[in-house]
Amino acid sequence: MPFESIEVDELLLVLKIAFLVLLYLFIWRIVRSASRDIRTPQESFVLAPGHGFEPPRASAPVPARSAGRLVVAKSPTLAPGEAHLLDSASLTIGRSPTNHIELRDDGFASGSHARFDPRPDGVWVLDEGSTNGTFVNGSRIEGPRLLEAGDIVRVGDTDLRYEP
């Protein structure tokens, strides 16, 4: 019986030592990772003297450029052929009256359904978390999608054709 007690005590001692070794390895990995992050140069937002921001010089106003338009192909609310111009500002669409394009009687559209974002590289459409989704050419979009000429965007039961 005393031999079994000694073996259990030795086993517990070995397990304690193994636990401490693993604990120290874990702490060492954390310290090493943190020190690597500290040594990596970080981008500075502080400008050196004399290299500050220069305000733009007065020039002729730049006219807002058109990024295209959305033409109603089919809708229970909007007239077919109705066009909505896209300029430099985002354009929202949905059932809520706060949207730029209001789909009041479209039972499949959400209150804030989708947003069209004109950017320098083209017009992007983004679903705003709608219940029934936003579709481009019949495929549901999962994230921002760049529109091409002739794309059909479906919002609720409304189809819009993008024309650059």
Side-chain angles (χ1 to χ4, degrees), residues 62-94:
V62 178
R65 79 171 173 84
S66 174
R69 63 188 191 150
L70 297 170
V71 179
V72 178
K74 177 188 88 143
S75 176
T77 302
L78 306 173
E82 182 180 326
H84 298 273
L85 293 177
L86 295 164
D87 54 17
S88 60
S90 293
L91 186 130
T92 59
I93 185 169

Side-chain angles (χ1 to χ4, degrees), residues 104-116:
R104 184 177 321 164
D105 298 325
D106 190 338
F108 294 100
S110 295
S112 178
H113 197 102
R115 183 176 76 232
F116 295 91

Side-chain angles (χ1 to χ4, degrees), residues 47-149:
L47 299 174
H51 294 90
F53 172 76
E54 292 182 26
R57 296 192 172 110
S59 61
V62 178
R65 79 171 173 84
S66 174
R69 63 188 191 150
L70 297 170
V71 179
V72 178
K74 177 188 88 143
S75 176
T77 302
L78 306 173
E82 182 180 326
H84 298 273
L85 293 177
L86 295 164
D87 54 17
S88 60
S90 293
L91 186 130
T92 59
I93 185 169
R95 273 198 334 249
S96 171
T98 59
N99 290 297
H100 297 99
I101 302 175
E102 182 184 353
L103 304 175
R104 184 177 321 164
D105 298 325
D106 190 338
F108 294 100
S110 295
S112 178
H113 197 102
R115 183 176 76 232
F116 295 91
D117 287 327
R119 301 178 188 168
D121 59 342
V123 175
W124 293 76
V125 62
L126 173 68
D127 186 83
E128 295 276 275
S130 65
T131 303
N132 294 321
T134 302
F135 297 81
V136 175
N137 299 328
S139 299
R140 187 175 185 148
I141 61 172
E142 300 299 324
R145 165 89 183 262
L146 179 63
L147 294 178
E148 296 179 12

Side-chain angles (χ1 to χ4, degrees), residues 19-54:
F19 175 75
L20 286 175
V21 168
L22 288 174
L23 182 65
Y24 283 118
L25 282 173
F26 177 72
I27 292 172
W28 176 74
R29 294 279 309 246
I30 290 174
V31 169
R32 190 176 72 157
S33 175
S35 66
R36 206 178 298 148
D37 287 344
I38 291 172
R39 279 185 274 154
T40 304
Q42 301 295 320
E43 183 176 331
S44 175
F45 292 105
V46 178
L47 299 174
H51 294 90
F53 172 76
E54 292 182 26

